[in-house]
Amino acid sequence: MTVSVLPQSPSAFSKATWDDVAPYFDELATRPIDRSTIEGWLRAWSTLEELVTEAAARAMIAYTIETSDPTKEADHLRFSTEILPRMEERSVELARRLVDSGYATPALKTTLDRFRTQIEIFRDANVPIFAELEEHSARYQRITGSITVEWDGAELPLPQLQPFLKSPDRIIRERAFRASSRPYIDRRDQLAALFDKMYRLRMRAARNAGFANFRDYIFPAKFRFDYTPADCERFHQAVETAVAPAVERVLEARRQRLGLEVLRPWDLAVDPYRGKALRPFADAAEFGGKARRVFERLDPSLGSKFQVMLEEGLLDLESRKGKAPGGYCETLHFSGRPFIFMNAVGLVDDVMTLLHEAGHAFHAFAAHEQPLIWQRHPGSEAAELASMSMELLAAPHLLQPTGYFAPEDAQSAWLEHLEDILLSLVHIASVDAFQTWIYTSGQGGDADARDAAWLRLRARFERGVDWSGLGGERVARWYRQLHIFMYPFYYIEYGIAQVGALQVWRNSLDDPARAVARYRDALSLGAVRSLPEIYRTAGARLTFDVEGIRELVDLVEQEINRVREGLKE
Ligand SMILES: [Zn+2]
C-alpha cells in the first residue's frame, strides 16, 4: 500500500480505525531522511498529526454535544482509546528519529526539549494503561452527563439549576443547592470506585516510567520545566496567607449586605445589590452576536476572528439535555480553527465563560501562524493566561448597546467577577493540594481517607462559610470537579495564569491599547518560547510567592471596595 500522499481533509479519517492510520506512520518511520529532506519529512508528519487530531477533535465535539448517541460515543471512543494512544506511541518513535538526526533550529528548541522528555518517560507498557484511563474518563462523562434533577415537575440538567442558586429567595437557593449536590451524594460510591481504578492505573504508569508516584511523573509529562512541586506548595501557602483572609473579608461584607446571621453555601451566588440575577441575554444568537461586538470594540482583529467562528458554526453555546457538562475550546489543527462548547443558561457566569473560551480561541488562531503543530500549543499555564486575561481585558466593553449590561448592571457583574477571582484562587489551591495529597500520601487509594483529606483542605483554604450539617454536600464538591477524574493535576495552571492575568489587567489600567498589543504578541508566540518568556511578552511574570500574590489581591480588593461604594449609592 502506497501512502505517501496524505488525505486532503480530516474527514478522510472520520470513520478510521488504527489500521487506516498506521501505514502513514510506517511510511514516515522508514522514509530515508537526511539534511536535505528532513524539513519535508517534518512537515508531512506535522500534517498527518493535524489531520488525525482534527478528526479526533471533531468526534469528541460531536459526542459532547450529544452524549446519548451511541454512534457518536463509539466514534469518540475509537479515537480516544484506540487511535490517539497508538498514535502517541508512533509519534515518540518519530520524535526519536528527529532527535537522533541532530537536526535543530532555534524555532524548534522548545519542541525538541519536549520530545526528549517524552522519549525519556515513554514506556510501551503504559500505552494500554492510558487507553484504559480514557475509557474510565468516558465513563465519568457518561455518569455525570446523564444527571438530571427533578425541579418543579421538570427534568433539568444540572447547569440549568444555576439561576435558582442565584434566587433572592433563600429557600429556593437552598433547595437548588441541595438538589445539585444530591446526585453526586447518591453516586458517591460509584464515582469513588471509578476513581480507585484510575488512581491505581496512574500510580502504575508512574512506576513503570521510573517515578515514585504520579505527581512526580506528571511534572515532566506536562512539560512543567519552569516550576517545581515545591513552587506549587509555595503557591498553596501564599493563597492561604494572602487570599483566604481577603475572601473572608469579601464574604463578611456579603453577609452584612444580605443581613444574615451566617453565610451558608447557598448564599454565595445571589447578587446582594441587585436582588435578582441579571439575565444578560435571551438566546444563543444574542449571546454570540454581542460577544462579537464586545471583541470588536476591544480590538478589531479579534472581533473579525470571532465573526469567522459565528459564520462557520464553530460555537455550541446553550445548555441542552444530553450535552456533556462544562465548557471548553478545542483546536482543529488542520483547519486552524477553534471550536467553543458551553452550557449557557443566560447568566453573568456564561458571559465570563464565553470571554474565557474566546481567549483560548484567539490563541488558537494566532498560534496557527506557526508552521508545525508542535510549535503552536504551549502548556496550559500559557493557554489559561490567554483565556483569563481576556476575561479582564474585555470587561470594560460589556456595556449596552453593543454589550450585555446597563451601566449599573455592568458594575454588579464586574463585582461578581472580581469576587469570583478571589474565590477561585482558594478553590484552585485546595484542588491542587488535594491532588498532591492523593498521589503522594500513600492513602490516595482509600476512598474514605480521600474524602476526609478533601474536608481538611477545604477547611484550610475556604473560610467564611458555615458548612455545618453539610458534610456530604461538601464532599460531593470534589466528585463534581471533572479535572480530578479526567485531567489529573490540570488545575494549578489556572492559579498561575490567574496571577499572570491580574498583571496583564494591572498593565491595562495604565495603557489598555498596549496591554492588548502585548497580549496578542504573547499569543502569536505559540509554543516556540519558554513559559517565562511568553509571560514576559504578555507583560507578566510567573509568580508563586506571597508578596507578588498579595500585591495583586490588594489591587482586586481595592477595586471591589470601589465598585461596592458605587453600588450602594
Ligand atoms: Zn481555560
Side-chain angles (χ1 to χ4, degrees):
M1 180 176 178
T2 315
V3 290
S4 50
V5 180
L6 287 167
Q8 294 296 304
S9 135
S11 60
F13 285 125
S14 60
K15 291 286 168 188
T17 63
W18 174 244
D19 289 340
D20 301 312
V21 176
Y24 296 99
F25 278 93
D26 294 341
E27 195 275 330
L28 287 164
T30 51
R31 186 199 296 185
I33 47 172
D34 59 34
R35 292 258 160 229
S36 66
T37 56
I38 193 153
E39 284 174 14
W41 176 83
L42 256 181
R43 271 197 304 279
W45 172 22
S46 176
T47 305
L48 174 59
E49 297 225 357
E50 286 177 4
L51 289 163
V52 179
T53 56
E54 179 159 333
R58 289 184 181 280
M60 187 277 285
I61 291 164
Y63 167 63
T64 52
I65 287 173
E66 207 176 349
T67 55
S68 56
D69 182 330
T71 310
K72 288 175 178 164
E73 183 180 14
D75 287 343
H76 166 56
L77 278 179
R78 201 175 55 253
F79 277 102
S80 60
T81 68
E82 180 194 327
I83 298 177
L84 293 182
R86 292 194 196 176
M87 182 167 99
E88 201 197 323
E89 187 178 8
R90 299 303 302 270
S91 300
V92 172
E93 177 190 346
L94 298 183
R96 213 171 261 132
R97 280 197 93 189
L98 175 66
V99 168
D100 290 347
S101 79
Y103 178 79
T105 66
L108 268 185
K109 181 183 180 309
T110 52
T111 299
L112 287 166
D113 287 346
R114 288 167 173 225
F115 281 162
R116 282 192 199 96
T117 305
Q118 242 178 340
I119 292 165
E120 255 167 57
I121 65 172
F122 179 82
R123 299 292 181 278
D124 283 320
N126 283 345
V127 175
I129 291 182
F130 287 117
E132 198 180 335
L133 277 162
E134 285 296 332
E135 283 170 36
H136 293 319
S137 282
R139 177 127 184 274
Y140 176 81
Q141 261 186 319
R142 211 158 43 235
I143 295 169
T144 56
S146 67
I147 288 176
T148 57
V149 174
E150 202 179 313
W151 188 265
D152 296 340
E155 288 285 319
L156 298 186
L158 275 189
Q160 291 183 19
L161 283 185
Q162 281 297 323
F164 302 107
L165 285 166
K166 299 189 156 224
S167 167
D169 184 339
R170 202 177 191 206
I171 308 276
I172 294 178
R173 294 204 297 273
E174 176 174 352
R175 198 153 66 83
F177 173 82
R178 289 182 187 274
S180 61
S181 304
R182 177 49 52 191
Y184 285 87
I185 296 175
D186 292 344
R187 289 164 181 76
R188 184 267 183 192
D189 291 350
Q190 185 188 15
L191 291 171
L194 178 64
F195 191 82
D196 285 342
K197 288 186 199 146
M198 300 179 96
Y199 169 82
R200 281 197 294 274
L201 289 167
R202 285 175 184 146
M203 289 297 267
R204 197 179 338 138
R207 281 193 287 268
N208 284 346
F211 294 90
N213 60 61
F214 187 68
R215 193 270 315 262
D216 292 353
Y217 168 84
I218 209 77
F219 270 71
K222 286 168 81 57
F223 308 128
R224 291 177 173 181
F225 299 142
D226 302 288
Y227 61 99
T228 63
D231 287 325
C232 294
E233 275 166 36
R234 275 204 299 144
F235 186 88
H236 306 159
Q237 199 66 51
V239 168
E240 186 181 3
T241 311
V243 190
V247 167
E248 224 173 345
R249 288 190 291 274
V250 161
L251 292 181
E252 173 56 19
R254 163 177 284 270
R255 185 193 68 75
Q256 287 178 17
R257 175 81 198 177
L258 291 171
L260 299 172
E261 285 276 299
V262 285
L263 278 187
R264 302 285 272 160
W266 46 82
D267 298 320
L268 302 184
V270 59
D271 182 336
Y273 291 91
R274 313 216 69 74
K276 66 180 179 22
L278 300 178
R279 308 299 305 223
F281 55 90
D283 55 34
E286 184 187 355
F287 188 28
K290 286 194 166 165
R292 186 193 57 75
R293 291 190 300 211
V294 167
F295 296 129
E296 176 80 17
R297 282 182 54 178
L298 175 63
D299 183 305
S301 77
L302 297 178
S304 66
K305 291 288 186 291
F306 198 82
Q307 177 64 24
V308 168
M309 298 189 72
L310 286 171
E311 281 165 7
E312 297 184 7
L314 297 167
L315 305 148
D316 189 310
L317 300 178
E318 73 278 13
S319 169
R320 287 190 307 275
K321 207 167 161 180
K323 272 176 82 164
Y328 62 76
C329 174
E330 178 75 6
T331 304
L332 305 170
H333 282 289
F334 184 79
S335 331
R337 295 286 192 258
F339 185 95
I340 292 178
F341 171 97
M342 279 184 57
N343 277 285
V345 290
L347 298 176
V348 173
D349 313 59
D350 297 323
V351 174
M352 293 308 156
T353 303
L354 182 55
L355 298 180
H356 178 100
E357 301 305 343
H360 288 309
F362 298 140
H363 204 175
F365 276 113
H368 196 74
E369 304 299 316
Q370 299 288 343
L372 300 170
I373 190 169
W374 314 282
Q375 295 174 312
R376 294 175 195 153
H377 189 63
S380 309
E381 303 85 356
E384 299 301 340
L385 179 70
S387 55
M388 292 176 145
S389 300
M390 183 46 64
E391 297 172 22
L392 293 160
L393 291 172
H397 304 287
L398 299 176
L399 288 177
Q400 290 168 355
T402 42
Y404 299 94
F405 304 114
E408 63 284 5
D409 291 347
Q411 286 301 300
S412 115
W414 178 229
L415 178 67
E416 181 175 332
H417 187 52
L418 294 166
E419 291 189 359
D420 277 349
I421 287 176
L422 298 183
L423 285 158
S424 73
L425 283 170
V426 296
H427 178 64
I428 290 161
S430 58
V431 169
D432 191 63
F434 180 55
Q435 299 199 77
T436 304
W437 180 90
I438 287 177
Y439 295 105
T440 60
S441 67
Q443 298 176 66
D446 177 334
D448 292 334
R450 268 196 315 258
D451 291 351
W454 172 255
L455 288 176
R456 273 199 310 280
L457 287 164
R458 289 306 251 193
R460 175 181 164 198
F461 289 105
E462 195 192 44
R463 300 181 217 147
V465 181
D466 177 8
W467 281 86
S468 50
L470 298 168
E473 284 77 1
R474 203 172 198 186
V475 165
R477 181 64 186 85
W478 87 256
Y479 292 96
R480 290 183 76 166
Q481 195 63 55
L482 64 92
H483 300 72
I484 300 174
F485 283 81
M486 297 176 62
Y487 314 109
F489 280 98
Y490 183 0
Y491 224 71
I492 189 80
E493 290 91 336
Y494 293 115
I496 293 168
Q498 186 63 267
V499 170
L502 287 172
Q503 297 171 69
V504 171
W505 171 61
R506 182 169 61 188
N507 299 340
S508 79
L509 299 177
D510 293 333
D511 188 343
R514 180 163 149 76
V516 174
R518 296 179 80 176
Y519 168 85
R520 287 182 49 202
D521 287 345
L523 265 48
S524 68
L525 292 177
V528 300
R529 298 290 168 77
S530 72
L531 185 60
E533 274 180 276
I534 293 172
Y535 268 55
R536 216 161 23 245
T537 305
R541 89 181 158 83
L542 274 185
T543 308
F544 302 89
D545 55 283
V546 66
E547 295 78 20
I549 290 175
R550 193 195 303 277
E551 245 176 61
L552 295 162
V553 168
D554 285 349
L555 184 67
V556 172
E557 226 183 330
Q558 278 167 29
E559 180 71 359
I560 285 176
N561 291 333
R562 189 189 67 76
V563 175
R564 231 191 242 135
E565 282 309 309
L567 282 166
K568 271 186 204 154
E569 283 154 16

